[in-house]
Amino acid sequence: MDVYALETVGNGLLRLRLGLTNNSGENFLLYSGLSDQENLHTASQITLLDAVNQTRHLSYEQTSGSCFCASTDGNVATGETLDLWVVYPEPPSDVETMTITTPMTPPIMDVPITQSSETVENSGLEEPEIIPLTMISDNIEDQTGRTENNDEVSIILASDVLFETNSANLGPDSQEILAQVATEIDDASAGVVNIDGYADNTGNDSVNLPLSSERAEAVEGTLQELVSREGVTFEVEGHGSADPIADNETEEGRERNRRVTVTFAK
């Protein structure tokens, strides 16, 4: 994926132009690789991070419900480049670069913002979505981490610590870790706790999807026993190798991607 430009286009809008090249020997269908189910064959799920103001900029939606972005048939032949664009709310004028995050690649850091000679009409758009960037901390010893903003907490639990290899059976170190998570849930206001399982990209999703689901269900079973507050319900889902948080090309990255996250309102 090549970034052509990240450019202001007037009216408080910022446009990302990029190219997606198929370097494989087979035709490729973009489908939902960079998009949500409502905007297939687009790059609607690419987001921009403003490190200065600690915010994440989501792509604009039109009042019609579709994203303000290029829509294609999604077919990329061998050697072909698919040109895409997406429009976002513009950051403050003191922001000179932004980081691009995509569902398919590692983050693209510090992309400079330029000014385009073009302007883009901004009628028929929904309100801009700029959300606080979550703060992240990590515990190197037990490979746990957390993301936190004003509204919710998401605790990241390394599968390599909780489970035996290729197993959904919780290991001996898991009880103490999950007891700490349960204490946080007891102290919070959340009525619903989301538990999501993830895998790295080793193998395929015929294995990764059920394993990630089973691991999330195992964490749910233990937390149900440990959480003492009344009225807490759990929603559990396995995602296979989707939504990596680190580079799957390295062992360290794959270790971070093998995880279960527990998310709840403060």
Side-chain angles (χ1 to χ4, degrees):
M1 190 174 76
D2 296 313
V3 174
Y4 298 151
L6 184 59
E7 55 194 4
T8 59
V9 287
N11 299 316
L13 305 179
L14 183 69
R15 181 174 61 189
L16 170 65
R17 293 192 293 111
L18 65 148
L20 186 68
T21 303
N22 181 3
N23 293 316
S24 72
E26 299 180 357
N27 291 349
F28 174 76
L29 181 64
L30 180 61
Y31 195 61
S32 61
L34 295 174
S35 65
D36 56 65
Q37 292 296 316
E38 302 300 321
N39 297 282
L40 297 177
H41 312 311
T42 72
S44 62
Q45 289 299 291
I46 292 179
T47 66
L48 305 178
L49 303 185
D50 174 358
V52 174
N53 298 288
Q54 293 290 291
T55 54
R56 182 187 297 272
H57 292 226
L58 306 187
S59 60
Y60 260 116
E61 287 191 0
Q62 301 180 84
T63 51
S64 63
S66 60
C67 76
F68 192 14
C69 59
S71 180
T72 71
D73 63 9
N75 293 302
V76 192
T78 300
E80 181 183 1
T81 297
L82 186 66
D83 291 329
L84 299 166
W85 57 265
V86 195
V87 173
Y88 303 85
E90 184 181 352
S93 59
D94 63 333
V95 177
E96 297 180 351
T97 67
M98 299 186 83
T99 292
I100 299 170
T101 66
T102 90
M104 296 178 65
T105 69
I108 303 170
M109 308 295 290
D110 300 327
V111 177
I113 297 173
T114 60
Q115 185 171 357
S116 174
S117 59
E118 299 180 55
T119 58
V120 173
E121 176 60 45
N122 67 341
S123 61
L125 295 182
E126 296 287 356
E127 290 297 314
E129 290 191 72
I130 302 175
I131 59 178
L133 189 61
T134 55
M135 301 302 294
I136 301 174
S137 60
D138 292 292
N139 184 319
I140 302 301
E141 183 177 348
D142 61 16
Q143 296 185 47
T144 62
R146 64 191 291 122
T147 67
E148 183 173 354
N149 58 31
N150 292 332
D151 301 317
E152 70 177 17
V153 174
S154 183
I155 301 174
I156 304 167
L157 305 171
S159 292
D160 290 7
V161 173
L162 294 181
F163 302 97
E164 300 295 332
T165 303
N166 296 323
S167 170
N169 295 322
L170 287 165
D173 296 329
S174 63
Q175 192 73 13
E176 181 179 351
I177 295 171
L178 293 179
Q180 296 174 23
V181 176
T183 298
E184 289 208 43
I185 295 172
D186 280 334
D187 292 341
S189 63
V192 177
V193 176
N194 295 96
I195 303 176
D196 295 273
Y198 300 89
D200 63 25
N201 67 346
T202 304
N204 57 63
D205 273 349
S206 66
V207 174
N208 290 335
L209 273 171
L211 180 60
S212 63
S213 295
E214 290 165 7
R215 286 179 164 178
E217 290 166 1
V219 169
E220 177 201 20
T222 297
L223 287 178
Q224 282 184 330
E225 297 175 357
L226 294 172
V227 171
S228 59
R229 182 161 56 86
E230 296 293 331
V232 177
T233 60
F234 296 87
E235 295 185 357
V236 180
E237 188 173 358
H239 303 271
S241 59
D243 302 324
I245 59 174
D247 187 357
N248 270 313
E249 296 302 313
T250 68
E251 179 55 35
E252 181 182 8
R254 290 190 292 272
E255 287 178 7
R256 289 181 60 80
N257 291 332
R258 297 190 291 267
R259 69 198 192 277
V260 175
T261 64
V262 182
T263 305
F264 50 90
K266 286 185 172 180

